[in-house]
Amino acid sequence: MSENELQSPHFEDLTEKQESSLLVYEGKIFDLRHDTVRLPNGHDGVRDYIVHKGAACIVPVTDDGCILTVRQYRYPFKKVLIEIPAGKLDSTAEDPLDAAKRELKEETGAEAAEFTFLGEFYPTCAYSTEIIFMYMATGLSFGSTSPDDDEFIETEKIPLETLVGEIMNGNIKDGKTQAAVLKAYFKIKETKGE
C-alpha cells in the first residue's frame, strides 16, 4: 500500500464531548478525574486523567557553553536521573517565567540576565493536563541553592555538545530535558549562524 492509498475513517469533528466528570482523588501535586465522554462515532467512552497545575523547566547555559543539570532520585523509576532544573507552578495563575526563575535559583543557585521561551511541552497528553513551559537562561550569576525540604539534588555542569550526545545515545531518559536541551541547542546554533 502506498502513502497515497492510506485510508482511515473520516470524522467531521474529532472532539470528545464531556457528559459527566467525577473527582476521584484530590492531591497536593495533582487531581485525578474520571469522565464519561461522547466519542466522534456517537458511542460513550471513559477518560481517566490527571489534572496538573503545570510546570516550568530551564536550560541554564553558562558563558563557557555548558548546561547546568541536576541529578535527582526519581522514586517511580527507583533511579537517579540527570535532568534540567524544573518545578511545578504554585497555581494555575502563576506566570510560568516566575516559576522558572524560582526553580533555577532554588535548584542551582543561579540567576539569569536573560530568559528565552522555548515553547510548551505536553509530557503525557494521553492522560494528563500537564504543560511544561520551557525556557533557556543565559547571563548566569551564582549564589546559594535553596531546594525544597524533600528535594535532594546535586548540580552538574555538562558541555552542551556532550549533553546532546548523551540525549541522542539514549542516556538522558527525562522527556522535558530531551526536548528543551535539543531546542536550546538549535536555538544557539541559529543565533551563531551555524
Side-chain angles (χ1 to χ4, degrees):
M1 178 180 287
S2 74
E3 196 175 310
N4 294 335
E5 296 173 312
L6 290 177
Q7 294 185 9
S8 63
H10 177 74
F11 299 98
E12 292 298 318
D13 183 4
L14 292 174
T15 305
E16 298 176 356
K17 313 268 190 298
Q18 183 186 77
E19 293 186 330
S20 67
S21 185
L22 175 66
L23 178 63
V24 176
Y25 169 79
E26 188 172 14
K28 177 182 172 187
I29 297 175
F30 62 82
D31 299 338
L32 178 61
R33 299 202 74 88
H34 176 85
D35 289 7
T36 302
V37 298
R38 179 65 53 145
L39 300 170
N41 65 1
H43 297 136
D44 285 341
V46 171
R47 298 291 180 251
D48 293 327
Y49 62 100
I50 293 167
V51 178
H52 192 284
K53 294 174 187 159
C57 67
I58 313 94
V59 181
V61 183
T62 63
D63 290 344
D64 61 354
C66 292
I67 306 301
L68 296 180
T69 63
V70 293
R71 296 172 56 82
Q72 185 171 10
Y73 185 79
R74 291 303 192 179
Y75 184 81
F77 294 99
K78 308 291 190 276
K79 61 174 70 170
V80 174
L81 298 180
I82 295 174
E83 305 173 39
I84 55 174
K88 64 180 176 44
L89 304 183
D90 286 340
S91 73
T92 55
E94 183 178 19
D95 181 341
L97 179 56
D98 291 340
K101 290 176 181 179
R102 179 186 67 242
E103 294 299 326
L104 177 64
K105 177 70 173 152
E106 285 180 4
E107 294 187 6
T108 69
E111 295 182 88
E114 185 176 349
F115 283 85
T116 303
F117 183 59
L118 297 174
E120 297 178 359
F121 178 64
Y122 293 12
T124 51
C125 59
Y127 60 86
S128 174
T129 65
E130 183 179 12
I131 299 172
I132 301 176
F133 299 88
M134 301 181 295
Y135 296 90
M136 179 172 64
T138 54
L140 303 181
S141 57
F142 297 92
S144 58
T145 62
S146 57
D148 295 333
D149 291 339
D150 63 350
E151 193 172 42
F152 300 91
I153 57 177
E154 295 176 353
T155 306
E156 184 176 356
K157 189 174 157 182
I158 302 175
L160 176 57
E161 298 281 344
T162 302
L163 188 55
V164 168
E166 291 294 296
I167 289 169
M168 297 309 293
N169 288 330
N171 297 325
I172 304 296
K173 307 295 187 189
D174 178 59
K176 71 181 178 300
T177 299
Q178 293 178 16
V181 168
L182 292 175
K183 289 187 91 159
Y185 175 72
F186 284 105
K187 177 70 81 179
I188 291 167
K189 288 181 79 63
E190 178 184 288
T191 302
K192 292 179 177 178
E194 295 177 11

